[in-house]
Amino acid sequence: GAAGLGIETALGDTLTLKDRLTHHTVTGLSTVEAAAMHHEQLTAEFGAYFDRALSDPPGDFAAYVVRRDSPGRRVDLLVDHLERLGIRYAAAARNARVAGMDYRTGNPGRFDVEEGDLVIPAAQPRAVLTRVLFDPQVVLSDSLTYDITAWALPYVYDLHAVASNDAIDIRDWVPASVGGVEASDGVPYARVAAWDDAGDAAFMAALMKAGIIVRRNDEPFRVGEQSFERGSIIITRRNNERLGARFAETLERLAREHHQVLTPLATGFVDAGKDLGSSSVRAVRPVRVGMPFGSPLSSLGIGEVWHWFDQVIEYPLTRFPAERFASLDLSEFDVIVLPSGSYGSVLGTEGWKRVQDWVRGGGRLVAIESAASWLASQEGASLKLTRDEPEADTLRERRIREQRWADRNRDRAPEDNPGAIYRVKVDETHPLGFGLAEETFVLRRRGDEPALMTGNGDWNVGVVAEDGRMSGHTGFRAKERIEGSLAFGVQGMGRGEIVYLLDNPLIRGFWVSGHLLFANAVFMAGQ
């Protein structure tokens, strides 16, 4: 790292690598020595910690309940998470009605629990960790904090959940089916899979890599008792004939591997909505995706995007050095993702003009967090960042006159938003909103106000709801600006588009509910 074999400290001393190794060794051995000397007290307090967790768990809630009919495999993904953490969970043994709080609205009340819903009891050995990860509101000892202040898992996975004040009768949890192709009479005309959770993009990526042509529907449709929402993955025999017998075998294998249920349709004619042969059903083409990397862009932002493509959906991503961006042949790409960072020194005026020409020719630019903020300052971008009207001169002068240097950080607190969860109203009819509900959640880490776009061809797909803060701390001035601001949207530019993601949907790899939004930005928007 920065220290190397030695570093000169602020006091003029030289701290060597050998010194640092010695300090760590002494600290480690001292810890072992102190534990040995006080082993009886240590083991007694260790046991008492877990006894208290079972008999008197912290917090106001007795259990956390997740509706098993939450869309897609979101509940299964949460269960996998709980397994890795060693948090106990079970299923509701019977229907019940409990007092508590609804995560999606933030309102208290009485709510129905159905047999089979996922229940996470508060009283369990890892009670403290359970409370940390499920309590709707985090209690801060001080509003001055350097990092995010909200992370409740029902928001992370965008689940329908209730924090219950009442204990709930439970039984063993039964895992969901592993997916596969539903049986059908004869050879089906098409097979359809849902597009409604984080794992669906990996399935579609696998289909594309296998050479299978994929379609999607822009309008909901119904065949018999089966209804399919916008963005469903449709695989027809037509145009996949070249795969021969491998077609059905490949579909079966990929459906099992990705826990997808493929519903067979005997015909392309529907009972409600648009037929599969209509213009509302269109091909989802494989896209060639590029991303700049290196200074001065955010290494964390780069890593988050790279990890999603490489580890989550296993889809090709071409990375190129940021210094080559301004002169690169952009025709090699259909989509370019801009991870968080400032692009002034990377692109410059001429480079930005070349990027705009590429977008007008049919390219799609996906700008994340501060990359979107940088675009807001560029000519031709519809996105603008606005702030509240300034204070009256007399108030501002008084505040400056009375300001103390020691209070400089606290004076900025009203404008600050280190990271809070906000509810977002979604236009689920737009491809960027496919698979999302009418409301979803974002983890916002900015205190400015991305204004709604007003140009022809601009779509404000996700807008932060009024009174939309669900969890976490935000300074009161920042809160006023954030509510009603843009969360994600699309600007039409010629034959292409710019997708603005004001809140990082891939933040630290843990914000699972953002994966579907990002997949829409890459695969669905602009197709």
Side-chain angles (χ1 to χ4, degrees):
L5 294 176
I7 187 172
E8 187 176 332
T9 69
L11 298 177
D13 293 333
T14 299
L15 178 65
T16 68
L17 176 61
K18 181 180 179 180
D19 292 332
R20 292 156 61 203
L21 290 169
T22 302
H23 296 164
H24 278 287
T25 302
V26 171
T27 301
L29 291 175
S30 297
T31 302
V32 173
E33 182 182 17
M37 291 173 60
H38 303 281
H39 66 278
E40 292 181 353
Q41 179 184 356
L42 185 65
T43 54
E45 292 182 356
F46 188 79
Y49 171 85
F50 289 102
D51 289 340
R52 286 193 303 271
L54 289 167
S55 61
D56 186 23
D60 298 326
F61 300 107
Y64 307 94
V65 184
V66 177
R67 290 292 300 271
R68 188 156 190 165
D69 61 358
S70 294
R73 294 191 62 248
R74 301 178 193 185
V75 176
D76 296 331
L77 294 174
L78 175 63
V79 167
D80 291 342
H81 195 156
L82 300 178
E83 283 280 353
R84 292 195 299 272
L85 297 175
I87 292 177
R88 292 179 179 175
Y89 58 91
R94 58 185 59 85
N95 293 350
R97 191 163 177 81
V98 298
M101 193 217 77
D102 186 339
Y103 281 89
R104 300 196 76 82
T105 65
N107 296 330
R110 295 193 65 81
F111 306 96
D112 291 327
V113 175
E114 296 184 1
E115 181 181 352
D117 285 348
L118 177 66
V119 178
I120 301 96
Q124 60 170 292
R126 286 174 169 77
V128 174
L129 180 59
T130 300
R131 181 192 181 190
V132 167
L133 293 177
F134 281 90
D135 254 16
Q137 289 293 342
V138 176
V139 178
L140 300 178
S141 58
D142 194 314
S143 60
L144 289 181
T145 177
Y146 73 98
D147 206 349
I148 63 174
T149 60
W151 47 79
L153 293 184
Y155 298 119
V156 170
Y157 288 92
D158 198 356
L159 294 159
H160 300 290
V162 170
S164 173
N165 300 116
D166 303 323
I168 297 168
D169 292 337
I170 57 177
R171 59 171 170 77
D172 289 342
W173 176 259
V174 178
S177 62
V178 296
V181 178
E182 291 184 0
S184 62
D185 296 328
V187 180
Y189 171 85
R191 295 175 175 88
V192 186
W195 179 265
D196 56 13
D197 74 26
D200 297 338
F203 176 56
M204 189 167 71
L207 293 173
M208 290 177 172
K209 288 191 294 182
I212 294 174
I213 293 177
V214 178
R215 290 175 168 82
R216 70 130 197 264
N217 56 311
D218 288 351
E219 298 292 337
F221 67 90
R222 177 176 58 80
V223 177
E225 299 300 319
Q226 294 277 0
S227 295
F228 302 94
E229 299 301 321
R230 293 179 176 89
S232 297
I233 300 173
I234 302 171
I235 307 113
T236 60
R237 285 187 294 117
R238 177 69 175 160
N239 298 125
N240 285 305
E241 298 94 338
R242 69 194 182 287
L243 297 175
R246 290 193 299 114
F247 176 57
E249 296 170 1
T250 303
L251 280 182
E252 174 73 36
R253 175 176 57 81
L254 293 179
R256 285 198 310 271
E257 290 176 359
H258 293 273
H259 307 282
Q260 297 285 329
V261 175
L262 285 174
T263 302
L265 301 181
T267 175
F269 295 109
V270 303
D271 297 318
K274 300 296 181 72
D275 292 333
L276 300 194
S278 73
S279 59
S280 293
V281 176
R282 60 184 71 198
V284 182
R285 301 183 305 276
V287 289
R288 300 167 298 167
V289 187
M291 179 188 70
F293 74 94
S295 181
L297 309 183
S298 164
S299 60
L300 297 177
I302 292 166
E304 287 157 356
V305 174
W306 185 7
H307 174 267
W308 188 78
F309 279 100
D310 191 61
Q311 297 294 316
V312 177
I313 72 167
E314 299 182 1
Y315 189 84
L317 171 70
T318 300
R319 294 166 294 116
F320 54 85
E323 62 265 23
R324 291 185 53 206
F325 196 179
S327 58
L328 197 67
D329 179 8
L330 302 182
S331 65
E332 298 178 6
F333 305 109
D334 305 303
V335 177
I336 294 178
V337 178
L338 301 184
S340 195
S342 179
Y343 289 78
S345 61
V346 172
L347 285 174
T349 303
E350 293 304 314
W352 169 234
K353 288 180 179 178
R354 292 185 68 248
V355 171
Q356 288 185 88
D357 290 340
W358 170 78
V359 174
R360 291 190 184 97
R364 191 172 342 126
L365 196 65
V366 179
I368 303 174
E369 213 168 33
S370 62
S373 300
W374 179 81
L375 286 180
S377 65
Q378 303 307 301
E379 183 178 353
S382 294
L383 180 68
K384 302 299 177 188
L385 304 180
T386 61
R387 293 185 178 274
D388 284 347
E389 292 297 319
E391 300 172 275
D393 289 343
T394 54
L395 292 176
R396 186 164 59 252
E397 289 171 2
R398 177 182 173 184
R399 190 163 60 85
I400 293 172
R401 185 171 62 251
E402 295 178 353
Q403 186 176 17
R404 298 172 68 244
W405 185 82
D407 298 330
R408 62 195 184 281
N409 290 328
R410 195 165 298 282
D411 288 341
R412 289 195 293 268
E415 313 283 346
D416 193 28
N417 178 42
I421 295 171
Y422 278 82
R423 186 174 72 252
V424 171
K425 294 184 178 298
V426 180
D427 175 5
E428 74 275 22
T429 70
H430 191 283
L432 186 59
F434 281 178
L436 302 176
E438 292 182 359
E439 291 186 334
T440 188
F441 304 97
V442 297
L443 180 58
R444 173 146 294 193
R445 296 188 296 168
R446 56 197 306 142
D448 55 11
E449 178 191 359
L452 302 185
M453 299 181 291
T454 59
N456 291 329
D458 295 342
W459 300 98
N460 300 298
V461 182
V463 178
V464 178
E466 298 295 335
D467 198 23
R469 186 179 65 186
M470 304 304 298
S471 182
H473 170 74
T474 305
F476 71 92
R477 289 197 185 106
K479 180 177 180 292
E480 292 173 357
R481 288 197 299 265
I482 290 171
E483 292 175 351
S485 67
L486 183 67
F488 44 90
V490 176
Q491 174 188 350
M493 182 178 285
R495 293 191 293 112
E497 294 181 334
I498 301 176
V499 179
Y500 299 105
L501 304 177
L502 280 305
D503 309 287
N504 185 355
L506 305 177
I507 178 171
R508 302 175 186 172
F510 91 98
W511 192 256
V512 179
S513 66
H515 290 195
L516 187 63
L517 172 63
F518 189 67
N520 284 338
V522 172
F523 293 108
M524 294 293 187
Q527 293 235 38

